[in-house]
Amino acid sequence: MSYFGEDPPDYIVGIDFGQTYTGVVWTNLLNKNSTTATQSIRDWPGLPSDSVETKVPTKIAYPRDGSAPWWGFLCDNEEEYYEEADLREHFKIYLDQDAIDGAYSRGVRDIPETVTEAMRLIADYLTQIYQHIKFSIESATGSWKDKRVEFVFSLPTTWNSLDITNNFNDAIRTAGFAAENPEKHSARVELTEAEAAAVYMAISPPFALERGDIVLICDAGGGTTDLGLIEVLNGNPEVPALKQVAAVKGVGIGSAMIDRAFELLVQRRLDQYPDANLSDDLANKLARSDSFQSIKHNFGMRAGTQVAYKLPLYKLGLGVSQDFSHPELGIEGGKMCFSKSEIQALFDVQIRGIIKQIDKQLDWMHSNRPNDYVRMLVLSGGLGGSEYVKTEIQKHHLANRPANGPKMLILKSRDPRLAVVKGLVTDRRQKLISGAATLKTRIARASYGVLCRVPYDPAIHIGAKTEPDPFNKKLKWALMQMDWLVKKGDTVDTDSSIERPFSRRLVPGDQNRKFDTVILISHEDPEKLPSSFSGPGIYKLCTIQSDLKEVLEEEFELRNKRPWQGKKYYIARFTVRMIIAPADLKFELWFNGKRYNRGHDPLLIEWDQVGASARPPSCDGATTPADGWESYNPQRVHSP
């Protein structure tokens, strides 16, 4: 079963676009005899011919001579040609202006100045990713132009406003995903990183799962750490089933922050001894260097832990020779030295932040499900896969056993770096093959409603704007009223849509078949949601224009057929279906019990900048949309 009954794809390609590294996994649904459900791309450009890597660096460099950009492993951090190119990295998280402004206020270097620039960097990088995916898969299967190909992307839980997701979707389209054959190729954002990591845990569990087990997922990557509490409905790894216990959470903690902290550490040393006359770029380039990245990736492992670490400066292309020494700066023989405690301190700040978020999830369990226990904490992601991170979390847990997880096991995912992208593809594959997604339910992170008019009740609609019904003198309408489709904290079935039936009255001969539906969003607590648009904390999210221009007048319901009944009119009844994805909404128009599609695009969605940018906590400034819809059904309708 696929969303809204579209034709199933031949290939599913999952892309985990990360702050520091990007992973790609794909599956061939045409090969029924394959013993491998998924396979990852490992043959990245720039690697030695005998090497493979599960992920590629999220980096792109623009040569100053205007030639084609370098990307991924082609960007060698320790080559002098960086004097001839502009290297850009760590740009994923800057798809909203608040993140950019915050980074500038903290003195972060080499970040996009605007969201538009960030979108360009993401699109340029994803263009390279797309072209290599195409090359790699077609090398194994032949041309995919006439095959149905579905590209699915994960997203961090910190992206809690729709404008960020919309910006990301625009970058994906600009990069060329689905452009080769728009009729058969598609691209969309599918799961949060925490959700995808949970799916991978279920298909590749550390040990046998049982119905009712509650698992805390912690996916700590390059730029964000995503957490999710999930409950096991079916522990069979062949057809697992999960449901969310609480809404996924995200925080800006990741390995890129360790790089930033190391850069500041080096810069503080250099600032104390300006007489050394070293390059202003030394701290930044040393933090990017392969030597420091190797230390970071192996810290905490027996083979990677040393009393002192010596990082070569002469490989940075900054004019430092192997004979250069400066005892006060800790430089000896062209290498800068750092103690184990200095490197450990870089990690500890991030680990304390992760532990704080884990404790918040356990506190939530204690307050909301006091009789249930968290059986295990599963760590994934580049930072989550660190042995040192796992060890420090275990120490904290042993010293502070939580009431709802006194015997909680702390485990690493079987494949920490690819857990997200493998879960992303597997969930979609299972939904197509078995008819049901692994993640059965999710918790709504916001409230969504429809702006409508309802029959006026003086006891309820005190102070509301009203208007008379032009076809029924006895009827009066209350305007600008809210019909909440789903409320924040509601459990939403991932295999179902939420639908609302609406109607519009037409005068005979009226050829206008375009009707607007205004969708609103609120991040307020459910008990604070108002019944009208005049209440606080509600924002216009988007306007959906439903176009029924191909419907004949006789297909509508005729009213007042007799002259004495009043003015003759038609009622156009139709339904807008909505699927609530983690940070996205999908809509479809239904008429006479069928999906409406008669030779033109039946829906046009216009996003409102203020509403799409709204996020908790709510802020003022929403614009007032036009009134229009009639809602006769206040009950929530969930339709498969």
Side-chain angles (χ1 to χ4, degrees), residues 37 141 239-240 303 348 366:
T141 65
V239 284
D348 288 347
H366 182 66

Side-chain angles (χ1 to χ4, degrees), residues 8 99 144 187 237 258 263 295 335 381 399 441 455 504 524 577 584 596 606:
W144 70 9
I258 295 176
E263 181 182 343
I295 291 171
K335 296 180 180 180
T441 65
R504 198 66 157 181
E524 299 289 338
R577 290 190 174 187
D584 195 9
Y596 180 78
E606 180 182 346

Side-chain angles (χ1 to χ4, degrees), residues 173-199:
R173 284 190 290 269
T174 302
F177 287 90
E180 184 174 356
N181 186 345
E183 294 295 322
K184 293 188 175 182
H185 296 189
S186 65
R188 67 185 180 212
V189 174
E190 190 72 7
L191 296 176
T192 67
E193 290 164 4
E195 290 172 341
V199 172

Side-chain angles (χ1 to χ4, degrees), residues 126-134 144 151 175-178 180:
L126 289 180
T127 296
Q128 304 299 324
I129 290 290
Y130 171 75
Q131 290 174 354
H132 185 68
I133 291 173
K134 173 179 167 63
W144 70 9
F151 301 96
F177 287 90
E180 184 174 356

Side-chain angles (χ1 to χ4, degrees), residues 6 31 247 262 279 353 502 506 508 612:
E6 73 244 25
N31 190 351
F262 179 70
S279 170
F502 291 103
L506 300 175

